[in-house]
Each structure stands twice: as structure tokens, then as C-alpha cells.
Amino acid sequence: MSAGRVLVVNAGSSSLKYEVFDVSTGRSTAAGSVSNVGGRARHVHHARGADLDVVIDCPGHAEAFAAASAALASPASGDESGPLLAVGHRVVHGGSRFTEPVLVDDGVLAALEDLGSLAPLHNPANTEGIRRAGETFPGVPQVAVFDTAFHAGIPAAAHTYAVPREWRTTHHVRRYGFHGSSYAYVSRRIADVLGLAVEGVNTVILHLGNGASACAVRGGRSVDTSMGLTPGEGLVMGTRSGDVDPALGGYLARVAQLSTEGYDRALTRSSGLLGLSGVSDFRELTARREQGDPAATLAFDVAVHRIVKYVGAYAVVLGRVDALVFTGGIGENSPVLRAGVIDRLGILGVTLDPAANDDGPPERRVSTEASRIPTWVVPTDEEAQIARAALDVLGLDHHIR
């Protein structure tokens, strides 16, 4: 068994999140975040026996990594789990080239920069994080773990768009899917909960947060998912529209003189729950709904309707569903959303246990024993999945589940 640590990094355009795992025990030993990178940033760090919450000058990611490195190296953190063996990076889009985690070299970095157009809000920041981590931790292997990789084996019938051949061959237009680390973790975990081998379990998993998607998983492999070429397709999200008529962009260009850039910006930053209700935070939305706000009620109903449509479709795609799983910040923490969805799935034989849905441990069954499809809340752990993937690429033994 290798002795040491693995660092997981999620670098955003204006943020840096990180977590450290002890390879031999699989436990998280420290975690932190630097928000508002590019200005006066807040650095929050938690470790055994040492918490930090300070404001720092942080012109860029180099300074954010320096702050994180200093916190991790502090004797007060109590981290005695050995040397840093690897840094695993979340990268949103791997395109057609990267279908599994990969050890980063100069060629990989150049390819990642080329993929920036597929996820302009995410990939450039992810790539910048890899560069800065390499400078901060010289000699430590850097591993890129892609959100899209879990979906790389989706059948052609599910990933192919009915668009001109040139778009598909020259510009690599297809369904890629996202939230892959979450789905990989949750599909393994629900199999453990059910006491079954992952290869024999069919699940519909709902990863519901500010970004939201659904996935049909057969035997631990994605066979369909709601996000597509970009993270904008599928479910209603905090500020993203999800599914719209493909002709919408052309229509708005004609009647409102909306540019391509303006259209993209509106669908990703001003739509979804925000566009429907004026708020993107789901907790505020549900509070307004409870107070009788009609816009919040409509937004909630539209979001639930979209989820139900995908659950029904994926049940048919799978043919047999062994479990329905809610995960992600909203999926794990919103009983009212879960109830809204489950109450509309009677045709699938899913029945809600209201008491279990309203309260209980973070991981729990929220359907009745008589429910034809067991329905669970399973907290995701994308960081643990990324750590596991990074160590697997390097061939290192570990106890990270």
C-alpha cells in the first residue's frame, strides 16, 4: 500500500477548490477554497486541528495555489500522511480525444487549450489550474480527470445528433455529457448499498445542483445523459435553460436582433430558474413558492416536469430500473423537490415515504418498501472519485472508495 497524499483541484475562472486524501486510509485530511481569485479573495481552509478563514490579495491562480500550498504545509494542519503523490484535476470537457483520465504532459496541455471552445466557461480555467499546480508542486504527477469521460461509451444512437455529417466529423458535434465523476461515484455506491455487483445494476441518477443533469446507467456505464455538446442541454438549471427549440436562436436574431454571443450568454447566465423566477438559488425559490409567489411556483413546476420527463424516458431506455438516485446539492438537500418528482412517478410504481424523505441520515432510502423502484438519496463525492482516478492512472494502490 502506497503511503502519501493525493491533492484534488477544481480550478474555476475566479475560484480554487481543493481537497487532500490520505492514500492509505482513504480519508479526507484537509480541504479548502479560495474565492474571488483576481481580487481580494477569501481563503477558507479546514484540516484536523487547524481552520483558516482569511482575506488575501489574490491577483491570479498562482497566488491562490501559493496560499493553498502554505496552508497544506502548515504544521498546525496535523497532516502527517506522507508525501504528495499526485494532483488530480477536474476538467470539464475532454472532447473526443480524452475518454479517460490522463497523465498531463505538454502535449496534453496543448490539446486541452484547443478544447477551450467546447466549454469556454470552464476548460480555460481548468487548464490554468493544471499549469499553476505544476509550478507550485514541481515533480508531482498531474492527472486530468474529465467530466465527459464517464459518458464516452454511450451508444451511437444516443450520442449522435441528426445534423449534417460535416458538423459531426469536422467539428466533433455529438452528445458528450457531464458530471461524470459524480455519476461514477454514485453508481458504485448505490450498488454497494443494494448489495449487488455494479455490473448488474441499472440506475437512473439525478445530479441536481446549480448545474443539473440526469443519467441512465447500465452496469456502471452511462448509456444516455441529458447534457450534450455543452452543459447547457437537458434539465432546467440555476441560470441555464436546458432544452429549448433549436430554432430559437434564429428566431431571436430576426425579431430581436440578438447576436450569437448574446444568445449564448442569455441561455447560460440569464435563463433557467433565474429567467423564470428572478432567483437562481433553489432554497430562495422554494421559500418564495411557499409564500405563494406565482413565478417561483412556475419555475418549480417547470423544473420538476423536465426531470420527470427524463426519468420516464431513461426507465424505458434501460428496460429495468433497480434504483432511482438523487444526488448533488439540491438532490441531496431538497425534500420538496424530491417529493415533487416522486409523486409524479406512480406509473413506474415509485411511492414516497414522506417521513424518510423529510428527515434522516444523508444517505437513505426515501421510497416505501412497497415501491417498485427503490429510491435513494446518495451524497456524491466527486473529489474522492477524482482522487481515485488519479491514483489508478499512476498504478498506485489506495484505499479511496
Side-chain angles (χ1 to χ4, degrees):
M1 176 60 61
S2 303
R5 299 171 295 156
V6 56
L7 170 65
V8 174
V9 169
N10 183 353
S13 59
S14 61
S15 66
L16 173 69
K17 298 178 182 178
Y18 60 89
E19 188 165 358
V20 178
F21 293 85
D22 184 321
V23 172
S24 60
T25 66
R27 292 197 298 266
S28 172
T29 61
S33 65
V34 182
S35 56
N36 197 37
V37 173
R40 291 286 287 170
R42 182 185 181 193
H43 181 202
V44 178
H45 177 86
H46 301 290
R48 292 174 295 183
D51 287 337
L52 177 73
D53 191 341
V54 297
V55 175
I56 60 173
D57 287 317
C58 190
H61 280 87
E63 292 76 15
F65 272 100
S69 177
L72 292 170
S74 170
S77 70
D79 190 350
E80 301 174 352
S81 50
L84 185 62
L85 302 176
V87 181
H89 295 266
R90 181 199 181 204
V91 180
V92 168
H93 214 309
S96 299
R97 174 166 178 176
F98 298 109
T99 59
E100 57 187 16
V102 63
L103 182 65
V104 175
D105 57 21
D106 289 342
V108 169
L109 275 173
L112 290 178
E113 290 183 343
D114 289 341
L115 291 171
S117 61
L118 285 172
L121 296 179
H122 301 92
N123 267 39
N126 302 156
T127 305
E128 173 71 4
I130 294 173
R131 291 190 183 279
R132 296 306 181 185
E135 296 168 359
T136 306
F137 306 103
V140 177
Q142 310 286 320
V143 178
V145 182
F146 302 92
D147 278 8
T148 50
F150 183 72
H151 308 291
I154 287 178
H159 75 62
T160 304
Y161 290 122
V163 297
R165 180 181 179 85
E166 182 183 0
W167 297 6
R168 293 181 275 118
T169 57
T170 302
H171 302 297
H172 312 292
V173 172
R174 56 159 286 176
R175 179 178 307 283
Y176 288 99
F178 299 89
H179 292 137
S181 292
S182 177
Y183 289 128
Y185 177 86
V186 172
S187 61
R188 284 203 326 274
R189 180 58 194 155
I190 191 61
D192 289 343
V193 167
L194 298 175
L196 301 171
V198 68
E199 294 80 8
V201 179
N202 288 359
T203 54
V204 176
I205 304 175
L206 301 171
H207 179 107
L208 307 177
N210 190 54
S213 65
C215 189
V217 183
R218 179 183 291 125
R221 297 180 180 274
S222 173
V223 295
D224 205 350
T225 190
S226 59
M227 286 180 169
L229 174 73
T230 75
E233 188 179 356
L235 305 183
V236 177
M237 303 172 232
T239 64
R240 283 175 258 174
S241 65
D243 295 338
V244 295
D245 187 324
L248 179 59
Y251 171 75
L252 290 171
R254 293 192 301 274
V255 302
Q257 293 73 54
L258 189 64
S259 67
T260 301
E261 293 77 11
Y263 178 71
D264 286 346
R265 185 166 55 249
L267 282 191
T268 58
R269 300 182 182 180
S270 305
S271 298
L273 300 178
L274 179 63
L276 288 168
S277 70
V279 295
S280 60
D281 184 274
F282 199 77
R283 290 165 298 187
E284 185 175 353
L285 178 87
T286 53
R288 292 189 180 190
R289 174 176 174 264
E290 289 171 1
Q291 295 165 4
D293 184 328
T297 299
L298 176 63
F300 181 90
D301 291 346
V302 171
V304 167
H305 180 78
R306 190 78 55 84
I307 293 168
V308 169
K309 282 176 62 177
Y310 271 93
V311 172
Y314 287 169
V316 174
V317 166
L318 290 169
R320 184 196 78 245
V321 181
D322 299 305
L324 171 65
V325 184
F326 288 85
T327 194
I330 296 172
E332 295 168 25
N333 296 302
S334 178
V336 65
L337 183 280
R338 292 193 299 266
V341 172
I342 294 171
D343 284 345
R344 295 187 59 188
L345 296 178
I347 193 171
L348 298 179
V350 182
T351 53
L352 180 71
D353 181 334
N357 183 50
D358 288 344
D359 191 29
E363 181 179 275
R364 65 191 187 277
R365 179 170 174 156
V366 294
S367 60
T368 65
E369 290 298 322
S371 181
R372 191 183 308 155
I373 299 175
T375 301
W376 284 76
V377 176
V378 175
T380 192
D381 196 337
E382 295 171 270
E383 290 75 20
Q385 178 62 30
I386 292 170
R388 175 190 176 103
L391 294 170
D392 287 346
V393 165
L394 299 172
L396 298 174
D397 294 334
H398 59 83
H399 279 155
I400 298 174
R401 63 176 186 168

